[in-house]
Amino acid sequence: MKKVIVAGAGIWGCTLARRLAEAGREVLVLEKRPSIGGNARCAVDPETGVEIHLYGSHIFHTHDAAVWKFARRFTEFNGYQHKVLVKRGGKVYHLPLGLTLVNKFFGVELAPPDLEAFLTEERRAEIFDAFFRGYTGKQWGRPPESVDPSVIRRVPTRANYDTNYFNDLWQGIPADGYGRLFERLLDHPAISVECNRAFSLKNAAEFSGSVSDVFYSGPIDELFSYKFGALPWRSLRFETETIAVADFQGTSVVNYADAEVPFTRIHEFKHYHPEGRLKASGAVSEGRDWGWASGKTVVTREYPVQWRIGDEPYYPVNDGESARLFARYREEVAAVNGGFAADGMRLTVGGRLGGYRYFDMDQAMADALQTEIGTEGATRP
Ligand SMILES: Cc1cc2nc3c(=O)[nH]c(=O)nc-3n(C[C@H](O)[C@H](O)[C@H](O)COP(=O)(O)OP(=O)(O)OC[C@H]3O[C@@H](n4cnc5c(N)ncnc54)[C@H](O)[C@@H]3O)c2cc1C
């Protein structure tokens, strides 16, 4: 039976590899980087024991029952509930836009029924200027003045004191770390993994005759050597440091809304494992302390930067022009499939880089769970 190649070992590729293996296929996973996990990859810091999120904070959250069921086959979650604080003008507020933020900012004590009437156009504009204009300007590299105030109308409002950042039914951090989640996803006798090996159309010929399908989740424009030009992305630069204090900011993420502060956020990763604090204090005997016993902490400052070919792509810049460019690359995928058909091969391009879209992890997993995997020998579309 012919093999299947899964190119890219992020959450999309690992989910597909597992599905394919469980459907009876032999799977070869090729990953360009030295290790699996894609942008959700974390590493446990040997000095402190803190689990560092190497590509920015990643919290698993979903209300998709099929995704939650699938993910929990490979990990337990620790029950972490995400809160985001925002610092502005030297004061710290709770996001999202709800009673906690509004009451503190305007110095009032509103009850839930009062909020809607209180948030006049003028007050919404004040909130927008204070908390969103500078941040959005930094994030997308535009002068704060150019950020459209209509954005504020789309910022969801909560007429309550719920400061949980996500509206999802389920969330958490893998209880024994993201690394183990990815290892377990690929731990199947029919899956073999080769890291430091990139798939390209140039090396596709070597698989001819032995491979039926390629599922590729690298950048779609890179696959075609940027022949129509590069799809635009926003990139990030991370500055990480270990600090000799037990707790630096008292929470996992603080956004910095002031335009003068050059970074957008500070991540303090040990807060993603509140159970580690219980372990360090001796209140529980099981599990790891995730850095809480070290007396130190690890923080990362996040700086948005302009993306160029070769940089890590983070956020797609979705506009009419990039949509047209993406459509041209999709046509190329169809053309490749025309050529591959003679060899009985098929190319499927997906994931956040292949699909040129912002995907949360649960959406990437859901997409991989729904992607058509076909069967060996079946008629190709
Ligand atoms: C800053 C930031 C924070 C985020 N936080 C969250 C969060 O809190 N919660 C959440 O749910 N989601 C979050 N996300 C989204 C999350 O990162 C994505 O959902 C996830 O990475 C999508 O997985 P993927 O497999 O599609 O892509 P990736 O994780 O990017 O994996 C693609 C893989 O393909 C490999 N590859 C590329 N080219 C090739 C090639 N030619 N051959 C072989 N391999 C190749 C890459 O090295 C990579 O390992 C965040 C995203 C960003 C940018």
Side-chain angles (χ1 to χ4, degrees):
M1 194 192 254
K2 286 183 183 173
K3 269 194 286 209
V4 177
I5 288 182
V6 171
I11 205 137
W12 193 84
C14 290
T15 302
L16 258 168
R18 185 71 192 202
R19 262 186 81 203
L20 287 156
E22 289 180 357
R25 305 301 307 274
E26 196 189 328
V27 186
L28 171 61
V29 177
L30 303 179
E31 169 52 55
K32 183 162 90 168
R33 290 180 182 161
S35 33
I36 60 172
N39 270 20
R41 185 172 162 71
C42 295
V44 178
D45 176 35
E47 183 191 344
T48 58
V50 171
E51 182 183 39
I52 300 176
H53 297 217
L54 298 171
Y55 300 92
S57 287
H58 276 71
I59 302 98
F60 196 92
H61 58 97
T62 191
H63 49 252
D64 183 327
V67 163
W68 187 237
K69 189 173 169 199
F70 182 79
R72 279 164 60 243
R73 284 180 53 204
F74 306 98
T75 185
E76 285 179 25
F77 288 88
N78 69 352
Y80 170 82
Q81 301 284 301
H82 196 43
K83 315 259 177 194
V84 176
L85 282 79
V86 53
K87 197 164 189 177
R88 180 262 162 197
K91 285 194 176 154
V92 175
Y93 300 82
H94 270 280
L95 287 173
L97 180 49
L99 284 180
T100 311
L101 184 144
V102 171
N103 282 347
K104 182 168 179 179
F105 184 60
F106 291 104
V108 290
E109 287 297 333
L110 300 175
D114 309 329
L115 185 68
E116 205 45 52
F118 182 81
L119 283 182
T120 58
E121 194 81 351
E122 210 172 47
R123 289 196 177 109
R124 279 179 177 269
E126 235 181 291
I127 291 174
F128 176 76
D129 285 342
F131 296 103
F132 298 97
R133 192 187 289 280
Y135 189 89
T136 313
K138 287 189 281 188
Q139 195 176 17
W140 293 103
R142 289 181 292 174
E145 309 76 64
S146 74
V147 178
D148 181 0
S150 71
V151 174
I152 188 66
R153 286 186 211 107
R154 299 200 299 269
V155 175
T157 310
R158 284 190 195 158
N160 56 39
Y161 287 106
D162 180 8
T163 53
N164 202 327
Y165 195 65
F166 299 118
N167 271 321
D168 288 320
L169 201 49
W170 301 292
Q171 62 176 303
I173 301 290
D176 53 3
Y178 276 99
R180 292 290 295 132
L181 164 63
F182 286 103
E183 281 162 18
R184 287 195 199 101
L185 272 165
L186 296 184
D187 182 15
H188 188 286
I191 300 178
S192 49
V193 182
E194 285 185 34
C195 288
N196 292 311
R197 188 170 174 200
F199 173 83
S200 73
L201 290 175
K202 283 194 200 95
N203 63 23
E206 73 187 77
F207 303 113
S208 162
S210 63
V211 164
S212 69
D213 284 85
V214 176
F215 293 91
Y216 171 88
S217 57
I220 189 168
D221 49 359
E222 188 180 303
L223 186 65
F224 298 104
S225 310
Y226 306 103
K227 65 194 277 190
F228 304 128
L231 285 160
W233 291 84
R234 194 80 181 133
S235 194
L236 299 172
R237 179 170 62 81
F238 295 111
E239 268 177 17
T240 299
E241 63 171 323
T242 302
I243 306 176
V245 295
D247 191 349
F248 174 73
Q249 61 183 14
T251 192
S252 45
V253 175
V254 178
N255 288 0
Y256 281 76
D258 295 316
E260 309 75 65
V261 179
F263 47 85
T264 45
R265 313 195 264 183
I266 298 184
H267 310 258
E268 186 174 11
F269 305 110
K270 70 196 312 192
H271 289 282
Y272 288 123
H273 286 286
E275 75 281 13
R277 192 201 296 256
L278 295 176
K279 167 76 178 175
S281 70
V284 296
S285 55
E286 280 161 26
R288 306 170 83 129
D289 67 67
W290 296 106
W292 284 101
S294 70
K296 296 181 184 171
T297 193
V298 180
V299 301
T300 291
R301 287 180 178 75
E302 178 177 319
Y303 298 81
V305 291
Q306 195 183 337
W307 177 87
R308 288 187 188 84
I309 291 176
D311 295 341
E312 196 55 52
Y314 283 92
Y315 296 106
V317 182
N318 291 119
D319 56 25
E321 206 173 307
S322 62
R324 278 189 290 279
L325 193 51
F326 177 65
R328 290 184 76 186
Y329 283 117
R330 287 295 314 167
E331 283 166 18
E332 287 299 294
V333 175
V336 164
N337 274 324
F340 272 10
D343 291 331
M345 241 162 99
R346 182 180 63 167
L347 171 69
T348 303
V349 178
R352 70 177 191 101
L353 300 167
Y356 189 62
R357 58 192 286 193
Y358 182 84
F359 255 154
D360 270 327
M361 287 184 283
D362 64 324
Q363 295 169 313
M365 193 173 258
D367 192 75
L369 288 174
Q370 285 152 19
T371 294
E372 201 249 302
I373 56 173
T375 51
E376 229 264 89
T379 312
R380 298 293 178 216

